[in-house]
Amino acid sequence: MEIIKPRTLSGFMELLPGKQIQFERMVAILRDTYASYGFAPLDTPAIEDAQILLAKGGGETEKQIYRFQKGDSDLALRFDLTVPLAKYVALHCNELAFPFRRFQISKVYRGERAQRGRFREFYQADIDIIGDGKLDILNEAEIPAIIYNVFKGFGLSRFQIRVNNRKILNGFYAMLELASKSGDIMRTVDKLDKIGPDKVRVILTDDCGLTQAQAEEILKFITITGSNAEVIAALEGYTGRNETFDLGLSELKAVTANLSAFGVPEENFAVDLTIARGLDYYTGTVYETTLLDHPEIGSVCSGGRYDNLAGYYIEKQLPGVGISIGLTRLFYVLDEQGLLNSALPCAPADALVLPMTADPGPAIALAQQLRGAGLRVQLYGEQKKFKQKMAYANKLGVPFAVLLGEDEIAEGMCSVKNMVSGQQLKLTPADAAAHIRAALAANDGPIISER
Amino acid sequence: MEIIKPRTLSGFMELLPGKQIQFERMVAILRDTYASYGFAPLDTPAIEDAQILLAKGGGETEKQIYRFQKGDSDLALRFDLTVPLAKYVALHCNELAFPFRRFQISKVYRGERAQRGRFREFYQADIDIIGDGKLDILNEAEIPAIIYNVFKGFGLSRFQIRVNNRKILNGFYAMLELASKSGDIMRTVDKLDKIGPDKVRVILTDDCGLTQAQAEEILKFITITGSNAEVIAALEGYTGRNETFDLGLSELKAVTANLSAFGVPEENFAVDLTIARGLDYYTGTVYETTLLDHPEIGSVCSGGRYDNLAGYYIEKQLPGVGISIGLTRLFYVLDEQGLLNSALPCAPADALVLPMTADPGPAIALAQQLRGAGLRVQLYGEQKKFKQKMAYANKLGVPFAVLLGEDEIAEGMCSVKNMVSGQQLKLTPADAAAHIRAALAANDGPIISER
C-alpha cells in the first residue's frame, strides 16, 4: 500500500491528550460561568450561505474567508460567531424571548497568512445579550462582570478589563469639530501604547491634518489617567458642550458603578480612553481585556455595545452588547508563557485497574465500582508482563494504579499504588475510591498558575 | 439598507434554545460516560488536507465530500471521525501510550442529497481503542458495555446492542466455498429483515449464482435465533471445519461472557448473525444498536473491530475497536417520536431575578448569592411594567421568578414565585436557593422518557 505522510494543516491547533484535557477545563469553566448567568447555549452551522454570511461585505474579512461551491450552492465557513447570531436572531425572532441571551463556544475559520500564534481555525467563546428595540445599560456592566468571573475561575488575578464609551469619543471629537476625521484619529490614538505621545502628535498634525492645538487637546484627553473616579472627574470637565458626550459619560458612570455592584474589584477594571474597538459597529460601551504581566499579547477578550445587530437581515432594531474570547489563541499564549498549572493531572483516567489474573471478571467489577464512586477508571486488558503494565501507567500519567491479583481477590481487597510517591496500600474497593478521591482533591487547583 | 432574507442551509440542524439545552444534556452524558472509562477527549480540525483525508479514496464518500481550494491548498471537510483519528494516531504515535483510548464528539460533513432526517452537518460521538500491534479481546466487550451505560444514562431501556463477528461469517462462507462471493451474499442477507427469507433465497440463487443447497445452508445459518446461549450452541455445530470460523466463535464467546461481566443484561444485547457492517474495514466483532420500539430507524450506534487503522499513513500495524453514535440523527428521531422528556426544564435559567426598585444593586447582589448556591440565574435589567416582566418570565419558561421590591429589601427577604403553580413565598435568599434547588431536584429525570 502506498503510504501518504500524515500531517495536520498549519494554522490548525491539534493537541495531544494531556493538553486537550487542559483546554477542555477552560471550556468547562466558560460554559458553567456563562450558563450560571442564564445564557442559553447556541450551536449554529459552521457552513452558511455565502451571500448571507457576507451580507455586510467587504474588506479583510472577505479575503480571509473559506468560500466554496457545492452543487449550485455558494457556501462559506463562518469567520466569527456574531454574523451567525445576527442571522439566527433575525430568522427566529418570533420564537425568542427578548432580551435574548446566548453563549456560543465554537470554531471559526479565517484563511489568514500562517504565523506563529495565529490560527486559521480557532475557538471563540462569545456571550451576547440582544434587546428588542431597547436594552438597559445594566447589561453593559453585567457582560464584563461575567468575564471577570470567568478569568477568576481560570485562576487569574493579574488582569484588567478596560472600559470606554464610543459616545464619549464621538462627542469629544465633535466638540473639536473633528467628527469627520474621528476614524483616522482613533486609529492613530490606538497606537499610543506602542509609539508614544510624540509620534502620535506628529501623525495627528502631519497625516490627519489637525492643528497643533487640536492635537494637544486630543493628547491631553487620551492621557487622562488615574483611578476610575479620577478619570470620571476629569471627564466631568468636558460636560455641557456636546449631548453625545454627556450621554456617553452618564453611561460610563452607570457601568462603572454597576461593575462595583457586581463585585468586580477596582483593580480588575479601568476606564481607558484609548480603547475604541474598530470604527462602525460599536456605539456605546467598549471593552478590552489585558493580562497585566503580558501586555504584549494585546487584548484577550473584547467587545461592546452595538445598536443594530441584524440590520442586514431584518427591519427590526435589535441593539445588543457582547464580548468574545479568542480561546485558541489565549490557550496557546498561556501554554507558551508556562502559565498552565502543571500540577493538575492531565491523564485521561484517575486510576488504571490492572488485572493480575487470567479471568478479568473481578477487575471489571472493581473498575465499575470505582466509577460508581465518581472516578474516571481505565481497565487495562492487555496480556503483558507486570513491568510493561507499569510502564504503560507511567506513560499515561495516571496518578494511581490499582492492582488486583489472586490474593487481593481472596481478601476482598485491592492494592492502590500512588504512581508519584510509589506508596502502595491494600484497601477495600470503597476505601480505595475514598483514598484516591482525597488525593485528587488535595491536588486540585486553578487551571492557570500565575508566578 | 438592502435586506437579505436570512435562512439556514437545508440539511443543517439549528435548534431553538430549549431544544439546544436538551441536545446538550445528551452530549454531557456522552462526555461524562466516555470520560469515566478513561477515554481522552480529542479535537481534530474540521478541515484537513484533501489528499490525506481521501487517502483511502473512492466511492460514495468522495462524491459527498466538501472539497475546496484556498490559495494552493486542496482542502476538505472531514466526513467522519475515523480518518482524522487514523491521521492523528499515525502522526503522534511516538507520543501516545497504547492502547490509546479517545473519544471525540464533533461535527462531520457530507453533502448528501437533502432528505427529511438526513443531515449534511451532523455530530458523531465516537470512542475507539487503538492497540500497537495487538489488542485484547476484552476491549471488544468493553466498547458495547460503555454504549449500554450511555443509553441507560439517556433513560432508555428498550434498546438492544446486536453483536456478530466477521470471522464467523467469513469462515462460514469459506466452508461453503463461497468466500469469493461473500460480499454479494452479505449484502443480500442484510436485507432479510426488509424483504423476508423467500426473496433472499431468490436473489442468492438467481443473482449471486448460488446452488439451491448453498442458499438453503445460508438461510438456515442466518436465521439461527434464540437466547445468546442457544445461538452459540447452534454455532458450535459448525466448528472444526474452518479455522477462521472457530477463531470467530471463540471471540464471540469471550465477548458475550465479558459483556455479562460488565453488567450488561441479557435483554440489552443479542448475538445476531445477520449483522455484517460493510465489507472491508471490520475484521472481527461488529455491533449495531436498535431501539426495540422503533426498528424502522435502523442502527443508532454501530462499529466494530478492525485490524489496521492507519495503513494509509504508517507502516505500523494499529488494530482497534470503535463505535459511533450519529448524534444529530438520533436526537432528531427522538424528538420526532416525542421521546424527549418534556418534563425537564428547558429554560436557560433556573430563576429570573426581577428588581422592583430603581437601584439594581440589591438585585445584583441577590442574583450573585443564588448563583453561589449553584443556581443558573438571570438578572432582568429592563425598565418594564410588572406585567411585561412576568410575560418575559413566562416566554423564557423559567421555573421561578424572584421578585425584589422595597419591602423585601427592608426585610432581607425575596419573593419566590413558582411560575407553574403560581405559588409565591417570601423567603431569605438562602432559603430561596434551597427551595428552588429542592423543586428542581424533585423535577429531575431522564432525558428520554419511553412510553
Side-chain angles (χ1 to χ4, degrees):
Chain A
M1 197 186 304
E2 197 201 342
I3 299 283
I4 296 180
K5 193 170 171 240
R7 70 184 186 97
T8 298
L9 293 164
S10 78
F12 289 71
M13 182 180 270
E14 186 173 76
L15 300 169
L16 285 170
K19 289 271 182 251
Q20 186 65 41
I21 284 170
Q22 291 180 307
F23 185 84
E24 308 265 329
R25 282 201 184 107
M26 290 184 71
V27 172
I29 286 179
L30 281 161
R31 293 185 65 86
D32 291 350
T33 309
Y34 289 168
S36 77
Y37 282 82
F39 286 75
L42 189 65
D43 185 11
T44 61
I47 307 178
E48 301 270 5
D49 182 310
Q51 306 293 333
I52 288 173
L53 209 57
L54 294 167
K56 197 177 174 179
E60 273 310 297
T61 307
E62 192 148 356
K63 270 183 249 160
Q64 293 175 356
I65 209 167
Y66 288 96
R67 185 173 181 169
F68 50 92
Q69 294 284 126
K70 180 80 183 171
D72 296 333
S73 304
D74 180 10
L75 305 172
L77 299 180
R78 63 180 167 218
F79 53 88
D80 71 8
L81 301 177
T82 305
V83 177
L85 171 65
K87 182 217 71 176
Y88 181 89
V89 174
L91 189 57
H92 302 293
C93 66
N94 293 325
E95 295 141 298
L96 301 175
F98 290 94
F100 172 59
R101 299 154 73 94
R102 82 88 176 80
F103 74 87
Q104 184 165 6
I105 304 170
S106 295
K107 286 175 172 178
V108 303
Y109 297 86
R110 295 186 195 171
E112 293 193 77
R113 198 160 57 81
Q115 218 178 320
R116 206 175 149 68
R118 285 271 170 197
F119 295 92
R120 290 171 171 167
E121 174 187 73
F122 56 97
Y123 279 94
Q124 287 192 332
D126 282 22
I127 40 173
D128 284 86
I129 305 174
I130 316 296
D132 181 0
K134 286 173 84 170
L135 190 67
D136 197 85
I137 187 75
L138 187 61
N139 298 288
E140 287 165 56
E142 192 180 26
I143 290 276
I146 296 166
I147 293 304
Y148 166 78
N149 282 291
V150 164
F151 279 65
K152 288 299 277 187
F154 287 165
L156 280 169
S157 62
R158 300 275 304 143
F159 67 93
Q160 193 171 55
I161 302 170
R162 304 196 290 170
V163 179
N164 195 7
N165 191 299
R166 288 291 299 268
K167 294 189 182 81
I168 291 179
L169 299 180
N170 291 334
F172 173 71
Y173 294 124
M175 282 180 215
L176 301 186
E177 298 185 341
L178 290 170
S180 64
K181 290 181 176 170
S182 64
D184 288 344
I185 297 170
M186 286 192 220
R187 266 189 293 271
T188 308
V189 160
D190 198 39
K191 296 176 190 154
L192 182 68
D193 275 357
K194 280 186 202 124
I195 64 176
D198 293 339
K199 287 192 181 155
V200 165
R201 188 183 294 108
V202 171
I203 298 174
L204 287 177
T205 52
D206 295 8
D207 296 356
C208 304
L210 272 57
T211 67
Q212 203 66 35
Q214 285 171 324
E216 283 311 322
E217 272 281 3
I218 289 168
L219 274 168
K220 187 180 138 205
F221 182 82
I222 60 165
T223 53
I224 292 172
T225 50
S227 70
N228 293 331
E230 286 164 353
V231 174
I232 286 170
L235 291 175
E236 297 280 8
Y238 292 88
T239 53
R241 293 164 59 188
N242 179 282
E243 270 185 26
T244 304
F245 182 94
D246 294 356
L247 180 57
L249 181 55
S250 75
E251 288 181 2
L252 184 65
K253 285 157 73 176
V255 167
T256 54
N258 285 327
L259 266 170
S260 297
F262 274 109
V264 183
E266 178 93 2
E267 70 255 34
N268 289 112
F269 75 95
V271 176
D272 182 333
L273 299 177
T274 66
I275 307 278
R277 298 302 313 153
L279 299 176
D280 301 325
Y281 189 58
Y282 294 113
T283 53
T285 307
V286 284
Y287 320 102
E288 291 192 354
T289 311
T290 47
L291 304 185
L292 291 172
D293 301 323
H294 298 281
E296 75 283 2
I297 296 167
S299 177
V300 294
C301 175
S302 312
R305 157 86 188 206
Y306 41 88
D307 277 344
N308 199 0
L309 174 71
Y312 297 96
Y313 307 127
I314 196 172
E315 300 279 358
K316 221 180 186 38
Q317 180 87 5
L318 297 168
V321 56
I323 205 162
S324 177
I325 298 178
L327 191 58
T328 300
R329 179 167 153 72
L330 177 60
F331 181 82
Y332 173 85
V333 166
L334 292 171
D335 190 20
E336 275 260 303
Q337 300 287 344
L339 290 169
L340 297 174
N341 183 355
S342 58
L344 293 184
C346 287
D350 303 317
L352 182 70
V353 170
L354 299 174
M356 300 293 172
T357 54
D359 173 14
I364 292 172
L366 172 63
Q368 205 58 18
Q369 202 174 341
L370 297 178
R371 281 182 202 114
L375 296 176
R376 299 173 305 147
V377 180
Q378 176 181 344
L379 175 66
Y380 185 81
E382 308 312 300
Q383 310 294 325
K384 297 267 183 175
K385 296 199 179 108
F386 181 71
K387 213 174 148 182
Q388 290 172 302
K389 290 179 180 177
M390 294 311 287
Y392 178 72
N394 270 320
K395 185 157 188 186
L396 208 59
V398 284
F400 290 93
V402 182
L403 288 61
L404 196 64
E406 297 294 356
D407 289 356
E408 284 92 350
I409 293 168
E411 296 168 51
M413 307 288 266
C414 58
S415 292
V416 178
K417 187 180 171 75
N418 184 314
M419 294 299 292
V420 177
S421 70
Q423 184 201 45
Q424 188 166 321
L425 299 170
K426 207 182 259 190
L427 298 169
T428 65
D431 287 347
H435 174 73
I436 294 169
R437 288 179 65 164
L440 293 174
N443 220 3
D444 204 15
I447 296 169
I448 295 172
S449 66
E450 292 173 333
R451 287 154 311 179
Chain B
M1 197 187 303
E2 199 203 342
I3 299 281
I4 297 180
K5 193 170 171 238
R7 70 183 186 97
T8 298
L9 294 164
S10 78
F12 288 71
M13 182 179 272
E14 186 173 77
L15 300 169
L16 285 170
K19 289 272 182 252
Q20 186 65 41
I21 285 171
Q22 292 180 307
F23 185 85
E24 308 266 329
R25 283 202 184 106
M26 289 184 71
V27 172
I29 286 179
L30 282 162
R31 292 184 66 84
D32 290 350
T33 309
Y34 289 169
S36 77
Y37 282 82
F39 286 75
L42 190 63
D43 185 12
T44 61
I47 307 178
E48 301 270 4
D49 182 310
Q51 306 294 334
I52 288 173
L53 209 57
L54 294 167
K56 196 176 173 178
E60 271 312 295
T61 307
E62 192 149 356
K63 269 183 251 162
Q64 293 175 355
I65 208 166
Y66 288 96
R67 185 172 181 170
F68 50 93
Q69 294 283 127
K70 180 81 185 169
D72 296 333
S73 303
D74 180 11
L75 306 173
L77 298 179
R78 63 181 168 217
F79 53 89
D80 71 7
L81 301 177
T82 305
V83 176
L85 171 66
K87 182 216 71 175
Y88 181 89
V89 173
L91 190 57
H92 302 293
C93 66
N94 292 326
E95 294 141 298
L96 300 175
F98 290 94
F100 171 59
R101 299 153 73 93
R102 83 86 176 82
F103 74 88
Q104 184 164 5
I105 303 171
S106 295
K107 287 176 169 177
V108 304
Y109 297 85
R110 294 185 195 173
E112 292 194 77
R113 198 161 57 83
Q115 218 179 322
R116 208 176 147 67
R118 283 271 171 197
F119 295 93
R120 290 170 171 168
E121 175 187 74
F122 57 97
Y123 279 95
Q124 287 192 333
D126 283 21
I127 40 173
D128 284 87
I129 306 174
I130 315 296
D132 181 0
K134 285 173 85 171
L135 190 67
D136 197 86
I137 187 74
L138 187 62
N139 298 289
E140 287 165 55
E142 191 180 28
I143 289 276
I146 296 167
I147 293 303
Y148 166 78
N149 282 291
V150 164
F151 279 65
K152 289 299 276 186
F154 287 164
L156 280 169
S157 61
R158 302 273 305 142
F159 67 93
Q160 193 172 55
I161 302 169
R162 304 195 290 170
V163 179
N164 196 6
N165 191 299
R166 289 290 299 269
K167 293 190 183 80
I168 290 178
L169 298 180
N170 290 334
F172 173 71
Y173 294 123
M175 282 180 215
L176 301 185
E177 298 185 343
L178 290 170
S180 62
K181 291 181 176 170
S182 63
D184 288 342
I185 297 169
M186 284 191 222
R187 266 190 294 274
T188 308
V189 160
D190 198 38
K191 297 176 190 155
L192 182 69
D193 275 357
K194 280 187 203 128
I195 63 176
D198 292 340
K199 286 192 180 156
V200 165
R201 188 184 293 107
V202 171
I203 299 174
L204 287 177
T205 52
D206 295 8
D207 297 355
C208 304
L210 270 59
T211 66
Q212 202 66 35
Q214 285 171 325
E216 284 309 324
E217 274 280 3
I218 288 169
L219 274 167
K220 186 180 141 207
F221 181 81
I222 60 165
T223 53
I224 292 171
T225 51
S227 69
N228 293 331
E230 286 163 353
V231 174
I232 286 170
L235 291 175
E236 298 279 9
Y238 293 88
T239 53
R241 291 162 61 186
N242 179 283
E243 270 185 26
T244 304
F245 182 94
D246 294 356
L247 179 57
L249 181 56
S250 75
E251 288 181 0
L252 184 65
K253 285 158 73 177
V255 168
T256 55
N258 284 328
L259 266 170
S260 298
F262 273 108
V264 183
E266 178 94 3
E267 69 256 35
N268 290 112
F269 74 96
V271 175
D272 182 333
L273 299 177
T274 66
I275 308 277
R277 300 300 314 153
L279 299 175
D280 300 324
Y281 189 59
Y282 294 113
T283 52
T285 307
V286 283
Y287 320 103
E288 291 192 354
T289 311
T290 47
L291 304 185
L292 290 172
D293 301 322
H294 298 281
E296 75 283 4
I297 296 167
S299 177
V300 294
C301 175
S302 312
R305 158 86 188 206
Y306 41 88
D307 279 344
N308 198 0
L309 174 71
Y312 297 97
Y313 307 127
I314 196 173
E315 300 279 359
K316 219 180 188 37
Q317 180 87 5
L318 297 168
V321 56
I323 204 162
S324 177
I325 298 179
L327 191 58
T328 300
R329 180 168 152 73
L330 176 61
F331 182 81
Y332 173 85
V333 166
L334 292 171
D335 190 21
E336 275 260 302
Q337 300 286 344
L339 290 170
L340 296 175
N341 183 355
S342 58
L344 293 184
C346 287
D350 303 318
L352 181 70
V353 170
L354 299 174
M356 299 294 172
T357 55
D359 173 15
I364 292 172
L366 173 63
Q368 207 59 18
Q369 202 174 340
L370 298 177
R371 282 181 201 114
L375 296 176
R376 299 173 305 148
V377 179
Q378 176 180 345
L379 175 66
Y380 185 82
E382 308 311 300
Q383 309 296 324
K384 297 266 184 178
K385 297 200 178 109
F386 181 71
K387 214 174 146 181
Q388 289 172 302
K389 290 179 179 176
M390 294 312 287
Y392 178 73
N394 270 319
K395 184 157 188 186
L396 207 60
V398 282
F400 290 93
V402 182
L403 288 60
L404 196 64
E406 298 293 358
D407 291 355
E408 284 92 349
I409 294 169
E411 297 168 51
M413 308 288 268
C414 58
S415 291
V416 177
K417 187 181 171 76
N418 184 315
M419 294 299 293
V420 178
S421 70
Q423 185 200 46
Q424 188 167 321
L425 297 171
K426 207 181 258 190
L427 299 168
T428 64
D431 287 347
H435 175 73
I436 294 169
R437 288 179 63 163
L440 294 174
N443 220 3
D444 203 16
I447 295 170
I448 295 172
S449 67
E450 292 173 333
R451 285 154 316 177

